[in-house]
């Protein structure tokens, strides 16, 4: 009983004290007010416009033009929150309405002349302009960017690069004007990444000079075809081509799937893929062909052709080489996905960082103000390395676009390898960053209008389409393997893909790392090159040993996927570092160069800390790994004063960010509620 009385007295005192304390707090508490970070954060130490110019280059004015076109139109859902105007899609609308709005926005952009010359203008500048316009639209809505990408880059790209003059003359201009709406029918229910395995079959009727496209089984139905469910009038159909009973491999054909009134054509069946976790403004569909006849001229014949009397013609006799030549032009999709993922990442980071510079939580001492989120070292560690990595990857993305538009027949391999590596690396980074931003915004990150949570669902598919990321990394490693073996057979130095460092002696790393060592370009380059070099040698050695034991090469590549993926990441990280150094070299000494140096060091240090291969293969000792870990925190504290300037330099207009990044008190006030 004494024990019960004792506990009762303890609880009574606790409740009494708690009540008194709460009363006092309520008497002295003041309401929170929003304070713009521009008032409290230090003035920028560098020219933010110059930094943005490094990100966007000569495209900066065109990007701003595209943003302004969208901001000024009511079609882009202008709304006021907290005294500011924002635009974003209404994701509460039904799927059908979202699709309708996507097409209405495309109609508006067409009227503004955005599509003029997209496909009919020649040269690298025209291609860069297309990338810029599509990716700028994607900042507003991924569905809008994807619909443009399917129509221009995939359908239009197939006509441009797989077709010849007869196709260019007939199809390119109508595609620009949307008289023809195209889709890209490659993926099937049963085959995605393995394009060579698709099951759609096309035969040739010499009597009528027509191709006959057929879906022989349910797994051969075309699946996830963007634009097919509602809008597309024509499709670039990928199919096995059988001539006189011989399978000549995968080829592409132009097939009409709807008439001018929107009715599905005879011998074509179309179904809707239905609601998705994101991208519901895109009408993904499924297509079956029931012996659909098309003219002989509708074969896209840049690599191979069929004569009127049914003879198969190609200068490339080897089927594998012919398939490689056929698919080589189809890299624009990966290029634009990589660039698009950077815009998504910047949008999420700008919103989350601005919020963390105005939102406070907890006091460290009694009677002191609550602390800004970004003044907590743990919050800095969550967001600031992602900012630095985003800059590094954005530089690499811009480099990829330059490589692509300046491509030659000899550089196609480089475009394929680099686009595969960066598409995987940049989209992985995008999704990881959006998840961190969502969590860093707390409950507000779940609200659709604040973007960061919704963006995760909208962009998740980037990891899959245009090639599964893990498969792409294995393709990168295969290509590196082939380059190494080819150079070894010829007893010549390795050239291209940045692999020239393999011709030099292996770098020797310091035994004991220090902060100053970690920040030198020499050490950063050495350890990234050593990692790539060692993993390539390990990969070559393992594959060669298995070959010597009589194993099939494809089986070997399947079984060595772990080291292959490590090598793919090593190649990508080294490439990104090199592009960062190239950009940095163009900047004169001063405050901008200094902050670039901080971000480069943050990028290399965070890669070393987070990638297990540095410890797994012994490039870092456990003691040196501890030094790296401490250096990350030190770099965070040094980047903290630049946080607002760095996200402002992304160049994303306020109207395209989430309201949470601005006056989140006013935007959630009672007066902001629509009362019925």
């Amino acid at each position: 009983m004494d024990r019960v009385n004792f506990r009762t007295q303890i609880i009574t005192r606790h409740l009494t004290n708690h009540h008194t304390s709460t009363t006092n707090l309520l008497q002295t508490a003041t309401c929170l007010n929003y304070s713009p970070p521009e008032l409290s954060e230090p003035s920028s130490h560098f020219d933010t416009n110059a930094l943005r110019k490094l990100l966007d280059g000569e495209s900066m004015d065109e990007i701003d033009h595209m943003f302004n076109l969208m901001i000024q139109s009511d079609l882009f859902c202008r709304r006021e929150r907290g005294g500011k105007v924002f635009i974003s899609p209404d994701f509460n609308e039904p799927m059908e309405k979202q699709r309708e709005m996507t097409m209405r926005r495309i109609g508006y952009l067409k009227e503004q002349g955005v599509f003029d010359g997209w496909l009919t203008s020649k040269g690298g500048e025209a291609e860069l302009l297309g990338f810029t316009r599509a990716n700028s639209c994607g900042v507003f809505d991924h569905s809008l960017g994807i619909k443009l990408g399917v129509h221009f880059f995939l359908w239009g790209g197939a006509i441009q690069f797989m077709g010849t003059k007869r196709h260019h003359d007939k199809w390119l201009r109508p595609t620009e004007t949307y008289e023809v709406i195209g889709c890209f029918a490659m993926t099937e229910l049963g085959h995605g990444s393995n394009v060579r395995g698709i099951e759609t079959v096309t035969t040739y009727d010499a009597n009528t000079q027509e191709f006959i496209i057929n879906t022989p089984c349910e797994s051969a139905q075309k699946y996830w075809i963007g634009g097919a469910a509602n809008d597309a009038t024509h499709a670039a159909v990928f199919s096995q081509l059988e001539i006189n009973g011989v399978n000549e491999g995968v080829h592409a054909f132009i097939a009409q799937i709807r008439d001018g009134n929107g009715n599905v054509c005879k011998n074509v069946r179309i179904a809707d893929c239905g609601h998705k976790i994101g991208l519901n403004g895109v009408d993904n569909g499924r297509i079956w062909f029931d012996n659909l006849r098309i003219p002989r001229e509708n074969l896209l014949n840049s690599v191979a052709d069929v004569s009127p009397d049914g003879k198969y013609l190609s200068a490339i006799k080897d089927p594998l080489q012919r398939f490689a030549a056929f698919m080589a032009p189809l890299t624009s999709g990966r290029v634009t996905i990589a660039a698009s993922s950077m815009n998504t990442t910047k949008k999420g980071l700008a919103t989350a960082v601005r919020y963390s510079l105005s939102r406070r939580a907890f006091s460290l001492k009694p009677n002191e103000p609550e602390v800004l989120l970004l003044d907590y070292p743990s919050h800095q560690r969550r967001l600031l390395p992602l900012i630095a990595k985003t800059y590094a990857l954005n530089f690499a993305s811009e480099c990829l676009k330059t490589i692509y538009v300046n491509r030659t027949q000899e550089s196609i391999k480089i475009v394929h390898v680099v686009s595969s590596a960066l598409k995987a690396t940049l989209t992985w980074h995008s999704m990881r960053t959006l998840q961190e931003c969502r969590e860093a915004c707390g409950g507000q990150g779940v609200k659709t209008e604040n973007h960061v949570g919704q963006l995760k669902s909208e962009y998740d598919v980037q990891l899959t389409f245009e090639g599964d990321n893990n498969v792409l990394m294995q393709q990168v490693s295969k290509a590196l393997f082939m380059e190494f073996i080819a150079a070894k057979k010829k007893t010549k130095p390795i050239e291209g893909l940045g692999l020239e460092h393999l011709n030099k002696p292996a770098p020797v790393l310091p035994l004991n790392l220090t902060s100053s060592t970690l920040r030198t370009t020499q050490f950063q380059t050495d350890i990234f090159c050593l990692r790539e070099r060692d993993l390539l040698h390990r990969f070559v050695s393992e594959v060669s040993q298995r070959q010597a034991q009589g194993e099939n090469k494809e089986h070997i590549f399947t079984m060595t996927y772990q080291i292959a993926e490590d090598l793919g990441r090593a190649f990508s990280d080294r490439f990104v570092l090199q592009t960062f150094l190239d950009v940095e070299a163009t900047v004169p000494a001063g405050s901008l160069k200094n902050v670039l140096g901080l971000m480069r060091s943050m990028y290399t240090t965070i890669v070393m800390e987070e990638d297990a291969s540095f410890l797994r293969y012994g490039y870092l000792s456990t003691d040196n790994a501890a030094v790296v870990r401490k250096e990350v925190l030190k770099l965070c504290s040094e980047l903290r004063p630049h946080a607002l300037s760095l996200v402002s330099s992304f160049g994303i207009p306020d109207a395209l960010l989430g309201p949470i990044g601005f006056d989140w008190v006013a935007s959630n006030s009672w007066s902001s509620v629509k009362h019925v």
Side-chain angles (χ1 to χ4, degrees):
M1 194 64 179
D2 289 342
R3 183 176 179 81
V4 172
N5 289 334
F6 174 74
R7 288 180 60 80
T8 301
Q9 292 172 14
I10 293 292
I11 293 171
T12 301
R13 283 200 300 270
H14 170 72
L15 292 174
T16 302
N17 290 339
H18 178 71
H19 177 74
T20 303
S21 175
T22 302
T23 302
N24 291 338
L25 283 172
L26 289 172
Q27 289 173 345
T28 59
T30 58
C31 290
L32 293 173
N33 290 308
Y34 169 79
S35 177
E38 287 81 0
L39 298 180
S40 55
E41 289 299 293
S43 300
S44 179
H45 294 77
F46 56 87
D47 184 344
T48 54
N49 197 58
L51 180 53
R52 188 191 167 194
K53 183 84 171 179
L54 293 177
L55 287 177
D56 294 334
E58 299 302 320
S59 301
M60 194 163 74
D61 291 341
E62 183 63 30
I63 292 170
D64 289 341
H65 171 64
M66 291 298 301
F67 287 157
N68 289 332
L69 283 179
M70 293 185 284
I71 291 170
Q72 70 190 19
S73 170
D74 289 336
L75 280 173
F76 292 81
C77 299
R78 290 162 55 89
R79 68 196 190 285
E80 185 187 342
R81 291 288 187 276
K84 290 181 73 72
V85 172
F86 296 93
I87 62 170
S88 74
D90 185 352
F91 294 109
N92 291 317
E93 291 179 328
M95 179 180 72
E96 293 76 12
K97 184 65 174 178
Q98 291 187 51
R99 293 174 174 182
E100 176 193 336
M101 290 305 299
T102 301
M103 288 306 295
R104 289 180 63 189
R105 288 163 186 147
I106 288 174
Y108 164 77
L109 295 171
K110 180 169 76 74
E111 291 173 1
Q112 300 301 313
V114 169
F115 309 143
D116 293 348
W118 192 315
L119 295 171
T120 53
S121 296
K122 306 297 181 184
E125 286 188 12
E127 288 189 298
L128 277 177
L129 190 60
F131 284 133
T132 298
R133 290 176 173 176
N135 286 328
S136 298
C137 291
V139 176
F140 166 76
D141 179 20
H142 197 203
S143 288
L144 180 57
I146 290 298
K147 283 284 280 189
L148 294 177
V150 168
H151 182 69
F152 286 104
F153 295 132
L154 297 183
W155 157 262
I159 303 296
Q160 274 186 316
F161 304 126
M162 294 181 166
T164 51
K165 186 176 185 300
R166 73 189 189 205
H167 305 107
H168 302 163
D169 293 344
K170 183 175 181 178
W171 300 101
L172 292 184
R173 182 59 186 161
T175 297
E176 281 184 352
T177 61
Y178 272 81
E179 296 170 54
V180 165
I181 301 177
C183 65
F184 190 76
M186 176 183 282
T187 298
E188 297 180 353
L189 177 62
H191 290 87
S193 296
N194 181 17
V195 177
R196 286 175 57 198
I198 61 176
E199 297 172 290
T200 300
V201 175
T202 297
T203 55
Y204 181 69
D205 184 347
N207 294 323
T208 60
Q209 295 188 23
E210 292 175 313
F211 288 107
I212 305 168
I213 305 175
N214 189 49
T215 303
C217 53
E218 288 296 346
S219 60
Q221 64 181 273
K222 296 298 181 181
Y223 213 98
W224 293 123
I225 310 306
N230 287 356
D231 302 317
T233 61
H234 292 73
V237 181
F238 289 76
S239 168
Q240 305 289 348
L241 174 59
E242 291 186 1
I243 300 294
N244 298 320
V246 178
N247 185 351
E248 300 291 354
V250 175
H251 292 67
F253 305 83
I254 297 171
Q256 185 167 357
I257 59 174
R258 283 188 178 86
D259 63 23
N261 297 319
N263 300 310
V264 176
C265 292
K266 183 181 178 182
N267 293 42
V268 176
R269 289 175 286 147
I270 297 177
D272 201 310
C273 287
H275 196 273
K276 308 180 290 290
I277 64 170
L279 285 180
N280 284 300
V282 177
D283 53 318
N284 292 91
R286 303 148 62 193
I287 310 174
W288 292 257
F289 299 100
D290 301 322
N291 294 317
L292 176 69
R293 287 179 172 265
I294 61 172
R296 183 183 70 87
E297 292 77 15
N298 283 21
L299 168 65
L300 294 174
N301 63 338
S302 64
V303 172
D305 207 347
V306 174
S307 66
D309 61 352
K311 293 179 181 176
Y312 184 76
L313 308 169
S314 178
I316 306 173
K317 303 305 178 184
D318 182 271
L320 293 179
Q321 291 181 7
R322 192 164 60 235
F323 177 76
F326 181 69
M327 298 298 292
L330 297 180
T331 51
S332 63
R334 290 197 292 270
V335 175
T336 195
I337 288 169
S340 172
S341 69
M342 286 297 92
N343 287 331
T344 312
T345 306
K346 289 186 282 189
K347 188 173 178 178
L349 276 172
T351 299
V353 168
R354 288 191 62 88
Y355 183 59
S356 73
L357 289 170
S358 64
R359 179 70 154 84
R360 296 175 179 272
F362 301 107
S363 301
L364 299 184
K365 294 180 181 178
N367 302 318
E368 284 193 354
E370 291 183 283
V371 178
L372 281 174
L373 295 182
L374 201 59
D375 283 338
Y376 285 101
S378 59
H379 213 78
Q380 294 173 16
R381 174 62 183 80
R382 298 175 77 171
L383 296 178
L384 299 185
L386 297 175
I387 294 176
K389 197 167 186 179
T390 298
Y391 270 93
L393 298 182
N394 199 115
F395 294 150
S397 172
E398 290 300 302
C399 178
L400 172 59
K401 283 193 280 188
T402 301
I403 292 172
Y404 176 79
V405 300
N406 293 314
R407 67 195 179 281
T408 63
Q409 196 61 40
E410 292 71 30
S411 68
I412 287 292
K413 183 187 300 181
I414 294 173
V415 175
H416 168 68
V417 174
V418 175
S419 65
S420 297
L422 292 187
K423 183 267 178 181
T425 300
L426 273 60
T427 55
W428 271 328
H429 171 70
S430 177
M431 289 306 296
R432 183 266 173 101
T433 300
L434 291 173
Q435 178 63 33
E436 199 65 69
C437 289
R438 209 295 300 153
E439 294 181 35
C441 290
Q444 289 292 335
V446 179
K447 199 173 183 182
T448 301
E449 73 170 10
N450 289 326
H451 295 317
V452 287
Q454 182 68 31
L455 285 174
K456 281 177 51 196
S457 296
E458 292 294 308
Y459 281 83
D460 197 317
V461 71
Q462 290 181 121
L463 280 64
T464 299
F465 61 26
E466 292 295 321
D468 173 87
N469 283 359
N470 291 289
V471 173
L472 289 179
M473 280 302 188
Q474 292 175 46
Q475 289 183 8
V476 170
S477 296
K478 283 185 187 179
L480 299 181
F481 172 87
M482 300 304 291
E483 288 295 302
F484 184 89
I485 294 299
K488 192 174 180 181
K489 284 182 178 178
K490 296 176 183 176
T491 63
K492 289 184 177 180
I494 296 180
E495 294 181 357
L497 294 171
L499 298 175
E500 289 82 2
H501 67 89
L502 295 171
N503 302 319
K504 303 174 184 177
V508 178
L509 302 178
L511 290 177
N512 299 302
L513 296 182
T514 64
S515 174
S516 58
T517 302
L518 286 170
R519 299 190 187 201
T520 63
T521 58
Q522 185 65 57
F523 170 77
Q524 293 163 2
T525 303
D526 282 351
I527 194 166
F528 275 46
C529 287
L530 179 65
R531 171 182 171 227
E532 181 184 31
R533 175 196 199 99
D534 179 64
L535 287 170
L536 179 54
H537 284 150
R538 288 173 184 265
F539 187 53
V540 169
S541 176
E542 184 167 350
V543 172
S544 299
Q545 287 177 17
R546 287 174 174 265
Q547 280 183 306
Q549 295 169 4
E551 291 187 42
N552 174 273
K553 184 184 289 187
E554 289 305 315
H555 177 259
I556 295 170
F557 285 135
T558 299
M559 299 306 295
T560 55
Y561 73 94
Q562 287 182 314
I563 194 167
E565 290 176 11
D566 286 344
L567 173 57
R569 286 184 172 88
F571 168 82
S572 181
D573 293 340
R574 193 265 308 151
F575 182 90
V576 171
L577 174 58
Q578 186 56 58
T579 60
F580 201 124
L581 291 169
D582 291 343
V583 169
E584 201 176 339
T586 67
V587 179
S591 55
L592 179 54
K593 197 176 188 76
N594 291 340
V595 80
L596 285 170
L598 279 177
M599 288 198 291
R600 170 178 39 78
S601 293
M602 175 65 90
Y603 167 69
T604 54
T605 308
I606 203 69
V607 169
M608 284 187 278
E609 185 194 26
E610 293 181 347
D611 195 307
S613 68
F614 286 91
L615 273 171
R616 181 183 296 130
Y617 300 106
Y619 315 130
L620 287 176
S621 65
T622 52
D623 288 343
N624 283 336
V627 175
V628 167
R629 187 175 177 82
K630 289 180 181 178
E631 185 66 13
V632 171
L633 300 183
K634 188 175 179 183
L635 286 164
C636 282
S637 67
E638 293 179 41
L639 280 173
R640 165 64 183 88
H642 305 294
L644 181 61
S645 298
L646 290 173
V647 296
S648 297
S649 297
F650 288 159
I652 308 291
D654 293 355
L656 285 159
L657 301 179
I660 194 179
F662 301 92
D663 193 342
W664 43 270
V665 176
S667 66
N668 286 283
S669 66
W670 177 249
S671 62
S672 71
V673 179
K674 291 182 179 179
H675 304 290
V676 180

